[in-house]
Amino acid sequence: MKQPNTVYRKNSSLIIAFLTLVTATLIVGLVVAYKLTARNVEVDFTVKKNNVADQSVISPYNDLYRNKIFEINSYSGLLDSALAKSYTDSIFKNFKFVSKVVFYQVIVDSPPNTDITNNLAVKARSIQQYFPVGHTESNARASEEVNTIDLRQMAEKLNSYIATYDTTRGPGIDQPASFYNTRPGKVSFLNIPSNADLKSYHDLQASRNSGLFYRQNMMTFYLDPYKVQIRNVHPELYTSVTLKQVSYDPPDIDHSKVITDEVALPGAFSDYKLYFSSPREYLNSEIYRRFLPVAIVIFLVYAIFMLIGWLIYRNLSVNDKMFKLQYDFINNFTHEFKTPVSVIKIAGSNLKGDNELTERQRKHYGRILDEEADKLNELMNKLLSFTQLENKSITIKRDKIKVEAFVKGYIDTFKIKYPLFKLDYAIEKQIKTFETDTVLLGSVFQNLIENAYKYSHPDRKELFIKISLEKRNIIFLFTDKGIGIPKNELSNIFRKFYRLENQYNQNGSVGLGLAFCKELVNFMEGDIAVKSKVDEGSEFTVTLPYEN
């Protein structure tokens, strides 16, 4: 007969769809996360090159250009060779890329009579060169020619500024820039005259008064870009950061294997650039390093979803099993009630019928009514006792019993009930008495003996009961030669409403017998265990605390 459908159904397609969806989401998440991470690394390769350029070149250069050089202005043209030596030593110490400093003591005089452009006469009273410790100058003549050119260029800037200087308004916002002269490889600076000096220069430029002159200081700083200390602050992105000329064109490279970029340098370093390169395999290690935490988070989310799915599936499975157990319980319990009720109904109908009954028939129907009523009462008592045990609403009534008499009484009862049932027992000699609840222990004996008879082949209905002592426990061993219990069912047989599916258990069981035994034994602070082999028999071991 086909088993009817229950409310809870296992839908394998739905489970597979859920697993597929979650796994597909995991894969898509990993792929998207990896691509975003790779993109992020490439963007950082492009953006963070500016950090390297700033800390290696731009910041030190700006510090020299905007701060250190400007200190010359504080001397107001009174800088001498000794002070200049001290000042240049600090420059060489703090800025390794400065290779030489030329110091000019400058005289500003009225324009010569032959000058038709009204330019001031800007001349060098003395020129001194300073080098880092351990350096020697090898070409003094070439240096002198260059030095003269630097002075002429600064003189032109000074004259141009003074010619346009508005004595009524004072200096403009572009004043400092007018006293710098920046060219590839060097920076010249003339200390900025005060406003009064600028007015005097303006008047001197126009009056041609001879014999008047003013002192200025000028320095030219020679910068060697190859002495710049390149700081690769992002070694995870760049394997190589080198200084190249602006005109440098790298040889043909495979951009699928190598990624490159560059940053142009400012001011006196404008003829050079920083060149960045890294093999893509190197960047892959950085991608994997950044991707790993993201992947771990994605896997954790995946694991959480799988755990939730498993918990839902387990809950549905438990509900399904419980529903089936309850369904079977109702069916079997109804059958257990229906059979004696039907018999009682038939016997009652015969008793109240119109036909005259003999004394033998009357006694027969009375016996039937009594037996069926006992069955109903036993079933109800078992359910009631089970409920009381679960709710801990009964107490143990300990009585001292004679063990052999107790066991022999149940064996004699079942021999009368089942004449073909072979029952025997053995008790260790030292066991005479035992304090226990006779009702509870009797229920255990009754259920285990009943099961041994019920689940045995007709020609092998045998049970042997052995009672022994082990430490401070008394052991009741029930060994039969029944049909046995499959190994995968051993963990389930003590569950409430659980029934083994076999030819001996189609009807007449509600799955409470062994569950009831376990509750009884546990309530008496003992334990019950089972060993079994299919078609060879089972061995139930009941262990209880021994008190005589």
Side-chain angles (χ1 to χ4, degrees), residues 21-34:
L21 177 62
V22 174
T23 304
T25 304
L26 168 71
I27 295 172
V28 171
L30 290 174
V31 171
V32 172
Y34 180 82

Side-chain angles (χ1 to χ4, degrees), residues 349-383:
S349 297
N350 290 333
L351 285 174
K352 72 177 183 178
D354 296 333
N355 296 330
E356 293 253 349
L357 297 176
T358 64
E359 183 66 20
R360 181 180 179 184
Q361 288 176 323
R362 186 181 62 80
K363 289 182 178 180
H364 174 69
Y365 288 132
R367 182 176 56 80
I368 290 174
L369 290 173
D370 188 58
E371 288 178 353
E372 296 305 322
D374 286 341
K375 288 182 181 179
L376 289 175
N377 186 58
E378 181 184 351
L379 186 59
M380 293 303 298
N381 286 337
K382 183 178 289 187
L383 284 173

Side-chain angles (χ1 to χ4, degrees), residues 161 164-175 195-196 198-199 202:
Y161 180 77
T164 59
Y165 179 69
D166 188 347
T167 58
T168 62
R169 299 183 61 182
I173 59 174
D174 62 339
Q175 183 186 34
N195 191 36
L198 289 172
K199 288 183 179 180
H202 187 271

Side-chain angles (χ1 to χ4, degrees), residues 397-406 432-438 441 546-548:
K397 298 179 181 179
R398 296 188 180 277
D399 297 315
K400 182 173 285 191
I401 64 170
K402 292 183 178 180
V403 177
E404 185 172 6
F406 178 84
K432 302 297 183 181
T433 60
F434 174 48
E435 282 192 4
T436 187
D437 189 312
T438 55
L441 184 59
Y546 179 65
E547 297 178 12
N548 58 8

Side-chain angles (χ1 to χ4, degrees), residues 97 189 207 250 544:
F97 53 85
F189 179 72
S207 66
L544 295 173

Side-chain angles (χ1 to χ4, degrees), residues 142-205:
S143 297
E144 185 66 28
E145 181 181 350
V146 172
N147 294 338
T148 304
I149 294 174
D150 292 339
L151 181 60
R152 285 203 308 266
Q153 290 177 344
M154 184 56 73
E156 291 174 2
K157 287 177 70 74
L158 177 62
N159 275 290
S160 177
Y161 180 77
I162 293 174
T164 59
Y165 179 69
D166 188 347
T167 58
T168 62
R169 299 183 61 182
I173 59 174
D174 62 339
Q175 183 186 34
S178 300
F179 294 88
Y180 280 97
N181 189 21
T182 303
R183 290 136 297 165
K186 58 184 176 179
V187 177
S188 296
F189 179 72
L190 181 70
N191 69 288
I192 302 174
S194 65
N195 191 36
D197 289 340
L198 289 172
K199 288 183 179 180
S200 298
Y201 289 165
H202 187 271
D203 295 339
L204 186 64
Q205 191 181 55

